[in-house]
């Protein structure tokens, strides 16, 4: 049955994705079922998106309540859910203003445009360069891929957008040397996701903030993957006691519905005057009503606390595996954004897990990435650890974990 759909898809859908041969039909919490009725425990969550699990009934009700009233009117007018979502967000972080869009890449586009226009408006016409990090990931639109420190996303698309300089992550001296009188901003992920779950050092982020203040330039945090509770705090930068001027969000904000947001302080947002930037669908009522429900649930159900607790437990179990198997080189990450660096390719492990009904992901070829729904339980974590234990031991004793 799956085979038929896969063959049909491979004829008509652009072949930009290397997909696993699974056709999913429904989900609940951390469980997914494919069209053959096979069950999987999900440690991918649509790549750090479905933080509250699949088919969450409360989000679904909020969505349909709004859909019964009003889908869309454009940003020529005001709507209530958009205001409420913006108020919720600015009420819980450094920011004063929110620009809504539809994806992570678009949120970064907005941040890049805002940083450039800020200095243009001040008459500082040559200050439009941005320093970004090696191994970063900021999306696939032209500006976002130009800001991404991985050659593979750019290949074939050059010339890319001008004005991005790259330095090694966690190296303040390289960064200080790269910031010139043409630099308008520094852009980084507090924890690099696609780059292999690499955390910023605490002192590094403090030094980056100080450098940006000294030079009078903007600090942009891409929290598209780390935001909305993924690391056990609402935003990852809260772990570091460092605030940016601009932050971008997307992935988990809609729990699977497409929404992006760029948040900025009053001062940083000043250059976004009427007409400066826009999005037809940005902050549309149905999606913002759902996102508001996502955030309400995160608070009402103490999801952050749960994420910290299960995340700590999960990490300790991965470290236990590291102590047992030399193939595991390093365990890293925070909350439920965890990575396990192997001394060999991760793809066979991903496939072996899949055969046992567990979905995990691999990034940078040899880093297993675990970004399950934040509602995952210790029992589900145990199931994965037993499975990984089996795979690394080469015993393959358990049929389904
Ligand atoms: C996923 C991701 C993006 C891109 O988001 P899209 O919605 O795919 O455009 C940008 N930055 C980070 C850190 C991401 O993880």
């Amino acid at each position: 049955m799956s085979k038929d759909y896969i063959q049909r898809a491979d004829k008509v859908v652009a072949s930009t994705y290397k997909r696993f041969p699974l056709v999913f039909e429904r989900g609940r919490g951390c469980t997914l079922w494919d069209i053959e009725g096979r069950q999987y425990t999900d440690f991918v969550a649509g790549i750090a998106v479905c933080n509250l699990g699949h088919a969450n009934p409360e989000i679904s009700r909020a969505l349909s309540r709004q859909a019964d009233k009003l889908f869309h009117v454009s940003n020529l007018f005001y709507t209530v859910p958009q205001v409420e979502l913006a108020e919720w967000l600015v009420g819980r972080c450094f920011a004063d203003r929110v620009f809504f869009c539809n994806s992570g890449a678009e949120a970064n586009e907005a941040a890049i445009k805002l940083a450039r226009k800020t200095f243009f408006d001040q008459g500082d016409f040559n200050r439009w360069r941005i320093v970004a990090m090696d191994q970063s990931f900021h999306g696939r639109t032209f500006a976002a891929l130009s800001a991404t420190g991985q050659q593979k996303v750019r290949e074939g698309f050059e010339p890319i957008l001008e004005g991005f300089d790259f330095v090694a992550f966690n190296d303040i001296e390289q960064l200080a040397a790269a910031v010139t009188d043409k630099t308008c901003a520094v852009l980084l992920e507090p924890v690099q996701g696609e780059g292999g779950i690499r955390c910023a050092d605490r002192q590094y982020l403090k030094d980056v903030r100080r450098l940006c203040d000294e030079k009078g330039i903007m600090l942009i945090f891409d929290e598209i993957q780390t935001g909305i509770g993924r690391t056990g705090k609402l935003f990852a930068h809260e772990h570091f006691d460092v605030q940016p001027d601009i932050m971008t969000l997307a992935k988990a904000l809609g729990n699977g519905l497409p929404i992006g947001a760029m948040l900025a302080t009053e001062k940083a947002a000043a250059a976004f005057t009427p007409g400066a930037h826009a999005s037809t669908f940005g902050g549309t009522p149905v999606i913002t009503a759902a996102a508001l429900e996502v955030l309400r649930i995160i608070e009402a159900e103490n999801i952050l606390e749960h994420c910290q607790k299960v995340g700590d437990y999960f990490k300790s179990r991965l470290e236990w595996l590291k102590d047992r198997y030399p193939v595991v080189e390093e365990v890293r990450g925070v909350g439920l954004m965890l990575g396990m660096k192997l001394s060999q390719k991760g793809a066979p492990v991903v496939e072996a897990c899949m055969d046992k009904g567990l979905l995990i992901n691999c990034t940078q070829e040899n880093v297993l990435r675990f970004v399950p729904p934040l509602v995952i339980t210790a029992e589900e974590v145990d199931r994965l650890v037993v499975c990984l234990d089996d795979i690394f031991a080469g015993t393959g004793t358990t049929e389904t974990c």
Side-chain angles (χ1 to χ4, degrees):
M1 200 154 74
S2 298
K3 239 188 183 153
D4 180 47
Y5 285 105
I6 291 166
Q7 270 172 4
R8 283 166 54 191
D10 288 349
K11 272 193 205 134
V12 291
V13 180
S15 38
T16 48
Y17 303 100
K18 189 164 165 269
R19 299 183 206 256
F20 294 103
L22 299 177
V23 184
F24 282 113
E25 185 169 50
R26 71 197 165 87
R28 203 69 168 176
C30 302
T31 307
L32 283 169
W33 288 270
D34 71 6
I35 56 167
E36 322 249 353
R38 256 207 98 186
Q39 185 176 321
Y40 295 83
T41 306
D42 184 13
F43 286 81
V44 180
I47 319 186
V49 167
C50 306
N51 281 10
L52 298 176
H54 298 283
N56 182 296
E58 288 166 298
I59 303 171
S60 167
R61 271 196 297 276
L63 181 73
S64 52
R65 259 198 316 271
Q66 180 58 46
D68 282 343
K69 283 197 279 188
L70 182 70
F71 272 47
H72 177 86
V73 288
S74 91
N75 285 306
L76 294 171
F77 310 99
Y78 295 90
T79 60
V80 175
Q82 186 182 108
V83 185
E84 289 182 345
L85 180 59
E87 282 177 346
W88 197 101
L89 289 167
V90 302
R92 281 152 186 88
C93 70
F94 70 94
D96 304 302
R97 290 188 183 266
V98 188
F99 174 83
F100 289 110
C101 52
N102 314 286
S103 69
E106 270 184 73
N108 285 333
E109 292 278 334
I112 292 162
K113 287 180 74 173
L114 177 59
R116 284 190 172 186
K117 189 164 184 294
T118 295
F119 291 93
F120 177 89
D121 286 0
Q122 293 169 11
D124 200 347
F125 301 123
N126 289 319
R127 199 180 274 279
W128 44 267
R129 302 192 70 85
I130 293 178
V131 183
M133 303 294 140
D134 290 339
Q135 305 258 249
S136 59
F137 182 79
H138 299 296
R140 302 293 197 132
T141 58
F142 258 107
L145 73 81
S146 302
T148 292
Q150 306 190 43
Q151 181 52 28
K152 66 175 188 214
V153 307
R154 291 190 217 141
E155 210 152 86
F157 300 112
E158 275 136 331
I160 58 168
L161 193 70
E162 237 187 293
F164 293 89
D165 302 301
F166 292 92
V167 294
F169 191 43
N170 276 331
D171 185 331
I172 191 67
E173 268 150 43
Q174 265 198 39
L175 180 64
V179 170
T180 69
D181 59 1
K182 294 195 170 64
T183 307
C184 66
V186 172
L187 167 63
L188 62 84
E189 301 152 81
V191 181
Q192 290 189 336
E194 308 303 307
I197 314 291
R198 294 161 70 222
C199 299
D201 297 332
R202 204 184 158 76
Q203 190 57 44
Y204 173 72
L205 276 201
K206 285 187 184 296
D207 291 344
V208 174
R209 178 70 268 178
R210 195 168 31 79
L211 178 72
C212 290
D213 289 340
E214 274 168 23
K215 304 282 182 183
I217 61 174
M218 294 205 183
L219 177 55
I220 307 169
F221 284 164
D222 177 340
E223 291 235 26
I224 289 164
Q225 187 159 155
T226 54
I228 320 297
R230 175 54 51 193
T231 67
K233 303 261 190 202
L234 195 56
F235 306 111
H237 68 260
E238 294 170 35
H239 288 287
F240 302 88
D241 267 337
V242 173
Q243 294 186 342
D245 304 293
I246 301 175
M247 169 171 74
T248 52
L249 298 175
K251 288 197 163 79
L253 182 53
N255 205 64
L257 295 162
I259 179 168
M262 186 215 61
L263 289 77
T265 61
E266 187 66 36
K267 185 165 169 249
F272 265 8
T273 48
H277 194 43
S279 165
T280 298
F281 293 128
T284 208
V286 172
I287 311 272
T288 44
L292 199 57
E293 183 66 2
V294 168
L295 299 170
R296 188 196 67 75
I297 296 169
I298 286 177
E299 276 188 348
E301 298 184 9
N302 289 321
I303 299 293
L304 300 180
E305 207 177 299
H306 178 81
C307 172
Q308 283 171 14
K309 232 170 70 196
V310 180
D312 286 349
Y313 173 71
F314 195 173
K315 196 173 183 187
S316 75
R317 297 307 290 152
L318 295 176
E319 267 153 6
W320 176 80
L321 287 168
K322 174 175 169 275
D323 291 340
R324 285 168 65 97
Y325 300 104
V327 66
V328 182
E329 284 190 347
E330 199 185 351
V331 171
R332 51 201 191 203
V334 55
L336 283 166
M337 185 170 179
L338 298 171
M340 179 183 249
K341 184 166 182 256
L342 306 179
S343 61
Q344 61 190 46
K345 289 214 157 127
V349 181
V350 173
E351 269 169 43
C353 282
M354 201 175 290
D355 285 344
K356 294 172 185 245
L358 292 156
L359 302 179
I360 62 167
N361 169 258
C362 176
T363 182
Q364 298 293 313
E365 298 221 316
N366 64 348
V367 182
L368 300 181
R369 173 168 52 171
F370 310 104
V371 284
L374 306 184
V375 293
I376 197 112
T377 62
E379 291 70 39
E380 285 163 318
V381 168
D382 284 340
R383 227 181 293 157
L384 175 68
V385 171
V386 166
C387 178
L388 289 171
D389 189 14
D390 262 11
I391 292 166
F392 292 144
T395 52
T397 43
T398 0
E399 252 306 288
T400 336
C401 295

